């Protein structure tokens, strides 16, 4: 569902909040990458990580019960600025621009390997071009092999970002 930032979030410092939970072998909500602006520890199993507008983060959700895995999902999300359109996402308030969304453990694992490959280049995945995450999403969804992220692509993204900022 696409929405606009609510009035209560329409101030320059509005953050995107992600609720993280860790109940061993039952519920595991964690961040694979991203730069938190703030973190609030609720108890020994839960915390809230907050992201500044424009930040990109990877949010992994995994859950199981006595019969096996019930949820495996990875979302790469850009925290929205005040007044921007956003998609809602469980455990993310108010929501964000979803750059990539996969479910099922094989697809989640594939994206995690792509993140590892970006880090192997000496780059921070949170700084990678948003277009790459969309490309990866579309290629995985279509069952095609995605192109690898490159230093040249990253350099072009950084230059483009400078010009548009």
């Amino acid at each position: 569902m696409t929405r606009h930032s609510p009035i209560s979030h329409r101030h320059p410092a509005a953050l995107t909040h992600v609720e993280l939970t860790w109940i061993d072998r039952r519920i595991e909500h964690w961040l694979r990458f991203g730069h938190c602006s703030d973190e609030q520890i609720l108890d020994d199993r839960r915390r809230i990580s907050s992201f500044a507008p424009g930040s990109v983060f990877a949010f992994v959700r995994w859950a199981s019960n006595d019969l096996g895995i019930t949820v495996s999902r990875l979302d790469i999300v850009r925290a929205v600025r005040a007044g921007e359109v956003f998609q809602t996402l469980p455990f993310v308030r108010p929501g964000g621009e979803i750059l990539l969304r996969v479910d099922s453990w094989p697809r989640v694992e594939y994206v995690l390997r792509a993140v590892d490959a970006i880090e192997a280049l000496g780059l921070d995945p949170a700084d990678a071009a948003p277009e790459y995450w969309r490309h990866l999403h579309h290629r995985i969804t279509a069952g095609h092999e995605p192109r690898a992220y490159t230093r040249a692509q990253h350099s072009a993204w950084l230059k483009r970002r400078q010009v548009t900022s």
Side-chain angles (χ1 to χ4, degrees):
M1 177 187 299
T2 301
R3 298 185 180 183
H4 288 276
S5 296
I7 298 298
S8 64
H9 292 285
R10 291 186 186 200
H11 53 85
L15 299 175
T16 297
H17 307 285
V18 182
E19 185 177 330
L20 304 172
T21 304
W22 189 277
I23 302 171
D24 197 36
R25 291 186 290 259
R26 288 292 185 188
I27 298 171
E28 299 176 7
H29 296 176
W30 48 281
L31 297 168
R32 173 56 182 86
F33 65 78
H35 305 288
C36 298
S37 295
D38 189 36
E39 186 171 81
Q40 178 185 7
I41 297 173
L42 303 175
D43 56 41
D44 61 340
R45 295 179 172 185
R46 297 176 308 134
R47 65 186 173 155
I48 296 175
S49 293
S50 301
F51 295 87
S55 300
V56 175
F57 59 91
F59 179 41
V60 181
R61 290 182 286 147
W62 180 90
S64 71
N65 61 23
D66 293 336
L67 302 175
I69 296 173
T70 58
V71 173
S72 282
R73 174 159 292 167
L74 185 147
D75 296 281
I76 297 180
V77 180
R78 185 184 65 82
V80 295
R81 291 175 173 81
E84 281 186 314
V85 174
F86 64 90
Q87 293 91 26
T88 58
L89 184 65
F91 309 103
V92 178
R93 293 183 321 260
E97 178 186 2
I98 300 171
L99 304 174
L100 177 144
R101 169 175 260 173
V102 294
D103 55 15
S104 83
W105 188 249
R107 288 180 173 192
V108 169
E109 209 170 27
Y110 191 91
V111 173
L112 293 173
R113 283 194 304 269
V115 171
D116 291 342
I118 290 172
E119 289 176 333
L121 293 172
L123 303 173
D124 186 340
D127 295 330
E131 294 81 17
Y132 178 72
W133 300 121
R134 290 185 194 104
H135 162 77
L136 190 61
H137 168 84
H138 293 302
R139 298 295 285 194
I140 291 171
T141 301
H144 296 288
E145 188 68 26
R147 291 182 302 275
Y149 194 66
T150 64
R151 287 183 180 276
Q153 184 178 4
H154 188 68
S155 178
W157 157 240
L158 294 177
K159 288 176 184 175
R160 192 169 60 250
R161 190 169 65 177
Q162 276 182 335
V163 171
T164 60
S165 295

